[in-house]
Amino acid sequence: MGGAGETRRARSDKQRNRTHILEVAEEYFTEQGVSGSMDAIARRAGVGPGTLYRHFPNREALLAALLRARDEELVSRRTAIERDVADPVTALEQWLEALGEYVTAFDGLPEPLRAALSEDTSPLVIACEGFITVTDHFLVAAQRAGGAHHWIRARDLFLSVLSTAWARSAVLADETSADALRAIVRSGWATAGNGAGRTGDGVSATRLPPTGRGAAPL
Amino acid sequence: MGGAGETRRARSDKQRNRTHILEVAEEYFTEQGVSGSMDAIARRAGVGPGTLYRHFPNREALLAALLRARDEELVSRRTAIERDVADPVTALEQWLEALGEYVTAFDGLPEPLRAALSEDTSPLVIACEGFITVTDHFLVAAQRAGGAHHWIRARDLFLSVLSTAWARSAVLADETSADALRAIVRSGWATAGNGAGRTGDGVSATRLPPTGRGAAPL
Amino acid sequence: MGGAGETRRARSDKQRNRTHILEVAEEYFTEQGVSGSMDAIARRAGVGPGTLYRHFPNREALLAALLRARDEELVSRRTAIERDVADPVTALEQWLEALGEYVTAFDGLPEPLRAALSEDTSPLVIACEGFITVTDHFLVAAQRAGGAHHWIRARDLFLSVLSTAWARSAVLADETSADALRAIVRSGWATAGNGAGRTGDGVSATRLPPTGRGAAPL
Amino acid sequence: MGGAGETRRARSDKQRNRTHILEVAEEYFTEQGVSGSMDAIARRAGVGPGTLYRHFPNREALLAALLRARDEELVSRRTAIERDVADPVTALEQWLEALGEYVTAFDGLPEPLRAALSEDTSPLVIACEGFITVTDHFLVAAQRAGGAHHWIRARDLFLSVLSTAWARSAVLADETSADALRAIVRSGWATAGNGAGRTGDGVSATRLPPTGRGAAPL
DNA sequence: GATGAATGAGTTTTCATTCAT
DNA sequence: TATGAATGAAAACTCATTCAT
């Protein structure tokens, strides 16, 4: 990927080193999940932990860099959808699907992503914000077409995707459940008609979800 | 620290001790979340770690006991719903709401709960199974009334509740998002009509979710 | 062995209980070696640890009781040897062989046995003393016949047997080594002639070993 | 307790630190025997357990390092013997004596050494292999001179030394027994004549010990 | 006599992170 | 800038033994 594969640290080039660490980390996180040991990554990359930490001051920073490296793919997915899919609802649907896959790149990734949403300092926020922006793009289009509830915001959709991805870890053996979860979310944001072009959505005129906490008298 | 140094604590009533540990654990988990240290709990309870482990051989067992202690509340919620709510859709809705609250008792609780679903040995499974059974009860009623998609299973709903609860940890400051997540799930399982009494549900004739993985051509 | 196999603790008879514990301990030590957990034995025997400790105040006591139960076998070995073997050297040889087997009853048994030799309080000493007495019996006969060095004492021979048994744990896969160890000890105590009836043993006139620590000028 | 609380210990020379740990460990093992607590050693050395484990990943590694530090002494013993002792039997005798002392450096040392012989992974194996090689050197010479049984192998002799050392822990107060044990082993491997130059050794023509397990009809 | 709850020191080991060199 | 040694808190769990009931 980075092209520094064969001779590790041939030049004592900082950039090369960084790239190499990223490659190794990608591999490691893929194998062990995101909570693997930082030390192990440094060791595998053949650098001292200090070097690792110089490039990426903490796990989140490393994760963020890793995700950024994968951004390209997501961007091209987005482009492809925008190019190929006329129906804004289907477009949103496909984008969320792509996002869901992206977010499952490493085992346990949803966790730090969710955490990042609550912090302002995490380097992962930036990534998240990007995702949310694009999601908003698709969402607005779908809402304009009357295919998505108006009370939904991009951030909520992103969280839904995240939490669905999180839940999927529990149902690895049960693809049906995974599908059901996706379907719930899907039919959750979509208006009844589902269809592009259909306009009426009685409920969605408001910006508030139909059943708030207080709405259901317990 | 625990003050149990000098004289051996009189062999107080076992039940008393157990209860005391539970109280302390409840308090501790409420403060620190479910991943707090077991030893710390023992320390706080003024018992040796051995005592803690005698009563609860591992974290899950402790958690399970804690949840069981809260079961009563959930049971009474269930009873109340069955007594007071005629509409099966609203009933299911309220039950899921109750479940969602229950599952947020401690910070980070959804995680071990989800993990338990993939294991057969965890003492938490029993709790989960119970939840799922009751959920099934409500779900079937709602489905009969045409108010819930037929392709949904109780387990899926439980997972939805779990993952929504999980996501909520990220949006503590943002009640609107939390509501939206709930609403998505809610309008995800409910049929368009939403209504009790209304029968037709064109989609739900099948037991499969409308949009499986393969449905969306990526 | 004890005949209390089928209905555990049918009568609440102390003796029965004791016998049952012994059976279980025998089984357990055979499986796990002598350093297995006392608690586990109690658990397996279906009694509280307190009961176990009432009968056998510590591991050594339990071990001693276990060995005593096996004494019979050793005694009969002794009788058989005395009856059947005319040559005192062969007799000693066979007795030591029997002792070596006895002492390997459980994995790790030589260790506490050796330790017991240094303590006066261990209940295992009694067992050891018995062994040593018998060994002395055979040894003296062999020495009288000129077939064993005079500078050897029964206690030394017992220690040799013990240490050979100890070493054998390391050479499980290597029967040749085990044989060699035995042979070393065997040709160590025996006089050159090896034969019963042969008298001359120039060295053995003294009660001191030929090469003491000081003898070899390092 | 270690006094390393306030300021981070200046990154002293790694070698220095390592050496210090070794000194402390040596002292500690000498006092407490080899099964003393690793943490205690770290504490005594004034370093964190992590530092100890960085240098020596486990107890065996530490022990191996400690032994290696003593190797010099053994090597010089060997050199001295080779230089000063003409008679190969005496040479072997003295080498085994030296080995016996070496192996008694710490209380309980024979145990892990024996265990190492059954494993391929232990860092102690290397040490053992070295010992065995040298022993073989002396043994072959003695055998050529007709002063040691041909059925003995170096490994067996090393085990004998080990087990004798093990047994000696029990007879600390009884030097006579210790001497006797040594003498048994000594007269166990040596041929009757004992003498250098003497060639005939009727038994030793074979590579098998005279009394194998089956040889003695029990 | 039996029970089994309580004790609590003790074990090994990991790891994120810092900082002297 | 890279290094990697040092840190040391923490974690989870065990077990021989005691003693109140």
Side-chain angles (χ1 to χ4, degrees):
Chain A
M1 225 174 233
E6 52 290 348
T7 54
R8 169 158 61 77
R9 279 168 61 223
R11 277 185 294 153
S12 183
D13 190 0
K14 183 184 173 184
Q15 193 51 44
R16 229 159 223 277
N17 220 332
R18 198 190 129 100
T19 312
H20 181 61
I21 290 177
L22 280 175
E23 284 166 11
V24 167
E26 170 110 28
E27 191 187 298
Y28 183 81
F29 281 148
T30 304
E31 283 172 24
Q32 313 276 339
V34 292
S35 33
S37 129
M38 294 292 273
D39 266 41
I41 293 171
R43 223 175 307 129
R44 236 199 230 197
V47 302
T51 307
L52 173 57
Y53 275 89
R54 156 161 296 276
H55 286 290
F56 312 99
N58 52 47
R59 184 184 300 272
E60 275 85 46
L62 178 54
L63 236 24
L66 244 24
L67 290 189
R68 221 168 306 136
R70 293 196 162 212
D71 259 0
E72 269 186 48
E73 204 191 316
L74 205 54
V75 166
S76 65
R77 288 288 283 270
R78 176 199 178 170
T79 316
I81 296 174
E82 283 177 329
R83 180 178 6 95
D84 302 337
V85 184
D87 175 25
V89 172
T90 311
L92 175 55
E93 191 176 354
Q94 291 192 11
W95 166 252
L96 293 180
E97 180 68 23
L99 212 46
E101 280 172 27
Y102 180 90
V103 130
T104 328
F106 312 119
D107 215 63
L109 182 54
E111 187 72 53
L113 249 23
R114 183 204 57 169
L117 288 177
S118 314
E119 296 172 36
D120 286 345
T121 56
S122 169
L124 286 171
V125 207
I126 303 152
C128 291
E129 293 307 339
F131 302 154
I132 294 177
T133 306
V134 178
T135 305
D136 194 49
H137 181 81
F138 283 109
L139 173 60
V140 165
Q143 284 172 328
R144 278 217 193 96
H149 294 299
H150 279 161
W151 44 264
I152 285 179
R153 289 174 309 169
R155 190 190 153 90
D156 305 334
L157 271 187
F158 179 63
L159 260 171
S160 285
V161 167
L162 219 46
S163 68
T164 307
W166 173 84
R168 273 205 297 271
S169 317
V171 285
L172 283 180
D174 189 351
E175 195 52 40
T176 315
S177 271
D179 284 342
L181 282 170
R182 260 186 292 254
I184 289 176
V185 169
R186 201 253 171 241
S187 79
W189 56 258
T191 53
N194 246 359
R198 254 152 245 166
T199 44
D201 175 10
V203 191
S204 66
T206 172
R207 274 243 137 209
L208 285 175
T211 50
R213 203 169 236 271
L218 300 176
Chain B
M1 219 174 236
E6 50 291 343
T7 48
R8 182 179 291 256
R9 182 171 308 278
R11 137 95 157 241
S12 44
D13 192 23
K14 177 191 174 183
Q15 198 50 45
R16 211 165 236 292
N17 219 331
R18 197 190 130 101
T19 310
H20 181 225
I21 291 177
L22 280 175
E23 283 164 10
V24 167
E26 171 113 26
E27 191 186 297
Y28 183 81
F29 280 149
T30 304
E31 282 173 24
Q32 314 276 337
V34 290
S35 33
S37 132
M38 293 292 274
D39 270 39
I41 293 172
R43 219 154 36 225
R44 235 199 229 198
V47 302
T51 306
L52 172 56
Y53 278 92
R54 157 166 285 274
H55 286 287
F56 311 100
N58 50 48
R59 183 185 302 272
E60 269 94 51
L62 178 53
L63 236 24
L66 244 22
L67 291 188
R68 222 168 305 134
R70 296 194 160 214
D71 259 0
E72 268 186 50
E73 204 193 316
L74 204 53
V75 166
S76 64
R77 287 289 282 272
R78 176 199 178 168
T79 317
I81 295 173
E82 285 177 329
R83 178 176 10 90
D84 301 338
V85 184
D87 175 26
V89 171
T90 311
L92 175 54
E93 192 177 352
Q94 290 191 11
W95 166 251
L96 293 180
E97 179 68 22
L99 211 46
E101 279 171 28
Y102 180 90
V103 130
T104 328
F106 312 116
D107 213 62
L109 182 55
E111 186 72 51
L113 249 22
R114 183 202 57 169
L117 286 178
S118 314
E119 294 172 39
D120 285 344
T121 55
S122 170
L124 287 170
V125 206
I126 304 150
C128 291
E129 294 307 337
F131 302 156
I132 293 176
T133 306
V134 178
T135 305
D136 194 52
H137 181 80
F138 282 112
L139 173 60
V140 165
Q143 284 173 327
R144 278 216 194 98
H149 293 299
H150 278 162
W151 46 263
I152 285 180
R153 290 172 310 170
R155 189 190 154 90
D156 305 334
L157 271 186
F158 179 62
L159 260 171
S160 285
V161 167
L162 220 46
S163 67
T164 306
W166 174 84
R168 274 206 297 271
S169 318
V171 286
L172 283 180
D174 187 353
E175 195 51 41
T176 316
S177 270
D179 284 342
L181 282 170
R182 259 184 294 254
I184 289 175
V185 168
R186 200 255 173 241
S187 80
W189 56 259
T191 53
N194 247 0
R198 254 154 245 166
T199 45
D201 177 11
V203 191
S204 65
T206 171
R207 276 242 135 211
L208 286 175
T211 51
R213 203 168 234 271
L218 299 177
Chain C
M1 224 170 236
E6 51 291 345
T7 54
R8 170 157 63 78
R9 279 166 62 223
R11 275 187 295 154
S12 183
D13 189 0
K14 182 185 174 185
Q15 194 52 43
R16 230 161 221 278
N17 222 332
R18 197 189 129 99
T19 311
H20 180 62
I21 291 177
L22 280 175
E23 284 166 11
V24 166
E26 170 111 26
E27 192 186 295
Y28 183 81
F29 280 149
T30 303
E31 282 173 24
Q32 314 275 338
V34 291
S35 33
S37 129
M38 294 292 273
D39 266 41
I41 293 171
R43 224 175 307 130
R44 236 198 229 196
V47 302
T51 307
L52 171 58
Y53 276 88
R54 155 162 297 275
H55 287 289
F56 312 100
N58 50 46
R59 183 185 301 272
E60 274 85 46
L62 179 53
L63 237 22
L66 245 21
L67 291 188
R68 221 168 305 134
R70 294 195 160 210
D71 259 359
E72 269 186 47
E73 202 193 315
L74 205 53
V75 166
S76 66
R77 287 289 281 270
R78 176 199 177 168
T79 317
I81 294 174
E82 284 176 328
R83 180 181 2 94
D84 301 337
V85 184
D87 176 25
V89 172
T90 311
L92 175 54
E93 192 176 352
Q94 291 191 10
W95 166 252
L96 293 180
E97 180 67 22
L99 212 45
E101 280 171 27
Y102 180 90
V103 130
T104 328
F106 312 119
D107 215 63
L109 181 55
E111 187 73 51
L113 250 22
R114 183 203 57 169
L117 287 178
S118 314
E119 295 171 37
D120 286 346
T121 56
S122 169
L124 286 170
V125 208
I126 303 152
C128 291
E129 293 306 339
F131 302 155
I132 293 176
T133 306
V134 178
T135 304
D136 194 49
H137 180 80
F138 282 111
L139 174 60
V140 166
Q143 283 173 329
R144 279 216 192 98
H149 293 299
H150 280 161
W151 45 263
I152 286 178
R153 289 173 309 171
R155 188 189 155 89
D156 305 335
L157 271 186
F158 179 62
L159 260 171
S160 285
V161 167
L162 221 45
S163 67
T164 306
W166 174 84
R168 272 206 297 270
S169 319
V171 285
L172 283 180
D174 188 353
E175 194 52 42
T176 316
S177 271
D179 283 344
L181 283 170
R182 261 185 291 254
I184 289 175
V185 169
R186 201 255 170 241
S187 80
W189 57 258
T191 52
N194 244 2
R198 254 154 247 163
T199 45
D201 175 12
V203 192
S204 65
T206 170
R207 274 243 136 211
L208 287 174
T211 49
R213 205 167 233 271
L218 301 175
Chain D
M1 224 174 233
E6 51 290 344
T7 47
R8 181 180 292 259
R9 181 170 310 276
R11 138 96 155 238
S12 44
D13 192 22
K14 177 191 176 184
Q15 199 50 45
R16 211 166 235 293
N17 219 330
R18 197 189 130 100
T19 310
H20 181 224
I21 291 178
L22 280 175
E23 282 165 10
V24 167
E26 171 113 28
E27 191 186 297
Y28 183 80
F29 280 150
T30 304
E31 282 174 24
Q32 313 277 337
V34 291
S35 31
S37 130
M38 293 291 273
D39 268 40
I41 292 171
R43 218 153 39 224
R44 236 200 228 196
V47 303
T51 306
L52 173 57
Y53 276 90
R54 156 166 285 272
H55 286 288
F56 312 100
N58 51 48
R59 184 183 302 272
E60 269 95 48
L62 178 54
L63 235 25
L66 244 22
L67 291 189
R68 222 168 303 133
R70 295 195 160 212
D71 259 0
E72 268 185 49
E73 203 192 314
L74 205 53
V75 166
S76 64
R77 288 289 283 270
R78 177 200 176 169
T79 316
I81 296 175
E82 284 176 329
R83 180 179 3 95
D84 302 337
V85 184
D87 176 26
V89 172
T90 312
L92 175 54
E93 191 176 354
Q94 291 192 9
W95 165 252
L96 293 180
E97 179 67 21
L99 211 47
E101 280 172 26
Y102 180 90
V103 129
T104 329
F106 312 116
D107 215 62
L109 181 55
E111 187 72 51
L113 249 23
R114 183 202 58 169
L117 286 177
S118 314
E119 295 172 37
D120 285 346
T121 55
S122 169
L124 286 171
V125 206
I126 304 152
C128 290
E129 293 306 338
F131 302 156
I132 293 177
T133 305
V134 178
T135 304
D136 193 51
H137 181 80
F138 282 112
L139 174 60
V140 166
Q143 284 173 327
R144 279 216 192 98
H149 294 298
H150 278 162
W151 45 263
I152 286 178
R153 289 172 309 170
R155 190 190 154 90
D156 305 334
L157 271 186
F158 179 63
L159 261 171
S160 284
V161 167
L162 220 46
S163 68
T164 307
W166 173 84
R168 273 207 297 272
S169 318
V171 286
L172 284 180
D174 187 352
E175 196 52 41
T176 316
S177 269
D179 284 343
L181 282 170
R182 260 185 292 255
I184 289 176
V185 169
R186 201 253 171 243
S187 80
W189 56 259
T191 52
N194 248 359
R198 253 154 247 164
T199 44
D201 177 10
V203 192
S204 64
T206 172
R207 277 242 134 211
L208 287 174
T211 51
R213 203 168 235 272
L218 301 174

